[in-house]
Amino acid sequence: MRLPVYMDNHATTAVDPRVLEAMLPYFTEHYGNAASRNHVFGWRAEQAADAARAQVAQAIGASPAEIVFTSGATESDNLMLKGAAHYYRDKGDGIVTLTTEHKAVLDTVHALEGEGFRVTIVPVQSDGLVDLEQLAEAIDDRTIVVSVMWANNEIGTLQPMPEIGKLVKAKGALFAVDAAQAVGKVQVNVNEAQVDLLAISGHKIYGPKGVGALYVRRKPKVRLVPLQDGGGHEKGLRSGTIDVPGVVGLAPRVHSPRSSDPPRRRGSRRCVRFCMNASRPVSTASM
Ligand SMILES: Cc1ncc(COP(=O)(O)O)c(C=O)c1O
């Protein structure tokens, strides 16, 4: 029998069975609303969401208060770009990004262009990397935000993030990063790269679809106008009940392997369920 072979992990990945196992109790046993403050069901759900938030934050060098849970990188990209453009519209009107960005960024900046924002889309070189001088020329003192993806979803280019961050901050703009294909795969540190806003997706890293996160820098504080109104969840930036099983499934695979990490022994008891090497493709046969 000829079976199809899946070779499209940049589009999406299978949920790691260990991730699924961690998620299941939050559908059926601990199904409380994390915003229910007056009973144990809510407290348990909140504890799980807080633990997931801490894991995501730690993976990218952030603090838990800087993590906003969303429905995925598309929503995070929309929130960071529209949110920043709308909040800072009195200070400027410019938005700069690259031709190779995902449509979640390109369509968002085009929507902002329709509202009157000035959008500059910088081309990349034949190797997929942006020319830093060309990028610098595109940023002026009315630029609000510069959006550059960390890792490209089609050609795998890793942009020189610390250099871009330095350049963007020297120009006084916000640095927004779509890291949907980077978090969990390569080292991502928001401080080393001077990132202000960073989008994460769960289903690119063996987590569930429909869940993601947005990093929003607090020092100095970056402000956003939320996309939706409602109960004021996620510090007012993303109203809507937290998908607790989803965020429990997002968190385990956000950590990228560090070169200093000792090689993991297969089946080692010391490797707890959440301590999984994200660079290693998951196959059910090896579980
Ligand atoms: C670079 C990049 N950004 C954004 C997205 C959208 O992510 P999500 O499916 O979580 O909305 C994807 C995935 O298609 C992606 O590869």
Side-chain angles (χ1 to χ4, degrees):
M1 186 169 52
R2 296 183 64 181
L3 293 174
V5 177
Y6 186 77
M7 297 183 74
D8 200 9
N9 275 335
H10 279 183
T12 196
T13 56
V15 173
D16 183 328
R18 296 166 295 185
V19 169
L20 178 63
E21 196 191 321
M23 291 170 64
L24 285 176
Y26 294 94
F27 287 104
T28 50
E29 269 175 73
H30 311 306
Y31 49 81
N33 185 329
S36 297
R37 291 277 150 76
N38 50 356
H39 54 68
V40 69
F41 294 88
W43 302 332
R44 278 213 190 103
E46 190 184 24
Q47 270 167 13
D50 284 351
R53 198 185 301 282
Q55 267 183 300
V56 173
Q58 200 216 353
I60 59 168
S63 70
E66 295 176 313
I67 304 299
V68 173
F69 288 126
T70 65
S71 65
T74 300
E75 185 187 337
S76 298
D77 286 337
N78 271 268
L79 178 55
M80 70 182 185
L81 295 169
K82 290 179 182 162
H86 292 156
Y87 191 89
Y88 295 103
R89 70 187 333 157
D90 290 343
K91 291 196 173 164
D93 62 350
I95 296 162
V96 175
T97 192
L98 306 185
T99 40
T100 46
E101 292 294 307
H102 191 272
K103 274 175 81 69
V105 166
L106 291 174
D107 285 0
T108 300
V109 300
H110 286 313
L112 288 165
E113 196 168 30
E115 292 179 31
F117 288 94
R118 201 166 37 94
V119 173
T120 308
I121 301 188
V122 179
V124 295
Q125 303 169 111
S126 57
D127 57 4
L129 294 172
V130 64
D131 178 295
L132 294 182
E133 277 178 27
Q134 211 176 347
L135 182 63
E137 276 167 25
I139 307 169
D140 60 31
D141 57 4
R142 298 270 304 153
T143 301
I144 300 171
V145 60
V146 177
S147 189
V148 175
M149 65 169 26
W150 198 298
N152 187 275
N153 51 304
E154 291 185 3
I155 53 174
T157 316
L158 295 170
Q159 297 291 348
M161 302 314 273
E163 285 90 334
I164 297 176
K166 196 170 160 198
L167 186 161
V168 172
K169 296 324 293 175
K171 294 268 189 179
L174 293 175
F175 186 25
V177 175
D178 179 340
Q181 300 287 355
V183 166
K185 300 171 184 176
V186 296
Q187 280 292 304
V188 171
N189 186 298
V190 289
N191 296 315
E192 280 167 18
Q194 301 189 55
V195 173
D196 293 300
L197 297 154
L198 182 130
I200 299 172
S201 172
H203 71 104
K204 310 292 182 183
I205 48 174
Y206 307 97
K209 294 167 184 56
V211 66
L214 176 65
Y215 159 76
V216 184
R217 181 171 287 284
R218 281 171 79 87
K219 283 186 190 158
K221 192 166 176 59
V222 174
R223 296 185 182 276
L224 302 173
V225 174
L227 296 176
Q228 60 202 43
D229 300 311
H233 308 74
E234 300 298 273
K235 299 190 175 57
L237 288 177
R238 206 282 187 171
S239 283
T241 302
I242 295 182
D243 172 0
V244 177
V247 301
V248 166
L250 164 74
R253 298 300 297 252
V254 287
H255 290 267
S256 57
R258 282 166 302 200
S259 50
S260 58
D261 284 349
R264 192 167 75 85
R265 268 198 302 132
R266 218 170 134 190
S268 165
R269 280 178 181 274
R270 284 180 302 156
C271 188
V272 292
R273 185 165 53 198
F274 281 169
C275 173
M276 292 182 272
N277 183 340
S279 69
R280 196 171 132 260
V282 171
S283 90
T284 43
S286 70
M287 298 282 152

